[in-house]
């Protein structure tokens, strides 16, 4: 086994150990010593990969972001030619994927927020761009946001053990959020929504005329 492969295996072992510790004991018990014990690596081996606990949390966050980014890209490619709201559909499907992933993985993201809120700057920036894309494509941006917020609520209530829904009920609600046909009758016409002013409104109107 070459050095690069050995190093990658050690890095993955340390990250898996970190997730196990967070899921079992909570983020407050995550230390480099605990990672070494859990993974079977020496502390020196762990520190060769991660100098600090914060570096471990950042790596966990980046790994989860990469996973969901890959999922989102594949889903977008699948629905971009058929869905009237491909960005919304992709976001809803990605949230559903997060909700059905093992809680230990989601807890890693929670740990990153608790321990170092500044780590959320990058995912927050990406979410803002995605929200702008959802609003741009939607016939009723407010309704699109409500569907997105409903999906986030399902995810968070499940993550924090607050949901009264079983898995089948949760999946049925996600399916309804994803089904555009369920929402057409609730869309407000532009005339009934508060008027928007400025360049953003002009650009949105031009974009819709172009699509039409």
């Amino acid at each position: 086994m070459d050095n690069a492969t050995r190093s990658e295996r050690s890095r993955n072992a340390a990250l898996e150990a970190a997730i196990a510790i967070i899921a079992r004991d909570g983020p407050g018990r995550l230390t480099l010593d605990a990672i070494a014990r859990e993974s079977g690596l020496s502390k020196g081996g762990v520190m060769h990969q991660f100098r600090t606990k914060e570096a471990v949390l950042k790596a966990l966050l980046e790994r989860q972001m990469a996973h969901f980014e890959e999922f989102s890209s594949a889903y977008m490619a699948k629905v971009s030619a058929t869905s009237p709201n491909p960005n919304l559909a992709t976001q809803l499907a990605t949230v559903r994927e997060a909700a059905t992933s093992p809680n230990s993985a989601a807890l890693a993201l929670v740990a990153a927020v608790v321990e170092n809120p500044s780590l959320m700057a990058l995912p927050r920036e990406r979410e803002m761009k995605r929200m702008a894309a959802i609003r741009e494509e939607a016939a009723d941006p407010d309704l699109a946001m409500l569907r997105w917020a409903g999906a986030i609520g399902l995810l968070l209530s499940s993550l924090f053990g607050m949901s009264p829904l079983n898995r089948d009920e949760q999946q049925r609600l996600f399916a309804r959020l994803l089904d555009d046909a369920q929402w057409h009758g609730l869309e407000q016409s532009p005339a009934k929504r508060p008027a928007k002013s400025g360049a953003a409104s002009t650009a949105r109107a031009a974009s819709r005329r172009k699509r039409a």
Side-chain angles (χ1 to χ4, degrees):
M1 186 188 302
D2 58 40
N3 288 337
T5 302
R6 187 179 297 108
S7 178
E8 183 66 18
R9 287 191 176 183
S10 296
R11 178 181 177 84
N12 288 333
L15 291 177
E16 290 300 323
I19 289 176
I21 293 165
I22 292 168
R24 185 184 62 236
D25 305 324
R29 296 296 183 91
L30 183 66
T31 65
L32 297 183
D33 285 323
I35 292 172
R37 289 193 299 271
E38 187 77 24
S39 65
L41 300 170
S42 67
K43 185 174 180 179
V46 174
M47 293 189 69
H48 179 72
Q49 301 296 331
F50 306 104
R51 298 297 298 177
T52 64
K53 174 181 176 178
E54 286 69 27
V56 176
L57 291 171
K58 182 179 180 181
L60 285 173
L61 179 61
E62 289 173 344
R63 188 165 79 160
Q64 288 304 109
M65 287 175 61
H67 166 73
F68 290 116
E69 194 70 31
E70 182 178 350
F71 177 91
S72 295
S73 296
Y75 196 92
M76 174 66 87
K78 183 173 69 174
V79 301
S80 58
T82 58
S83 173
N85 301 291
N87 286 287
L88 175 60
T90 297
Q91 275 296 94
L92 294 176
T94 303
V95 174
R96 180 178 61 183
E97 173 71 6
T100 56
S101 294
N103 278 349
S104 57
L107 283 168
L109 302 185
V110 175
V113 179
V114 171
E115 294 294 318
N116 191 344
S118 67
L119 291 177
M120 292 306 292
L122 179 57
R124 186 182 299 113
E125 181 179 339
R126 291 186 182 182
E127 285 301 302
M128 290 176 67
K129 290 179 180 178
R130 291 187 177 111
M131 291 303 99
I134 289 173
R135 291 188 182 97
E136 178 65 30
E137 73 186 5
D140 185 341
D142 288 346
L143 184 61
M145 291 296 97
L146 284 171
R147 290 168 66 184
W148 171 82
I152 292 295
L154 287 173
L155 169 62
L156 293 179
S157 64
S158 176
L159 175 60
F160 291 110
M162 300 168 56
S163 177
L165 306 173
N166 61 38
R167 183 181 179 88
D168 289 342
E169 290 170 328
Q170 183 189 71
Q171 289 305 300
R172 187 170 68 249
L173 292 180
F174 270 119
R176 189 165 183 177
L177 287 169
L178 274 159
D179 185 1
D180 288 315
Q182 299 272 347
W183 304 93
H184 287 326
L186 299 176
E187 290 177 350
Q188 281 191 352
S189 66
K192 292 184 179 181
R193 296 197 296 269
K196 294 189 181 291
S197 58
S201 178
T202 302
R204 184 177 294 110
S207 176
R208 286 178 181 162
R209 286 195 297 271
K210 184 177 179 181
R211 290 202 299 269

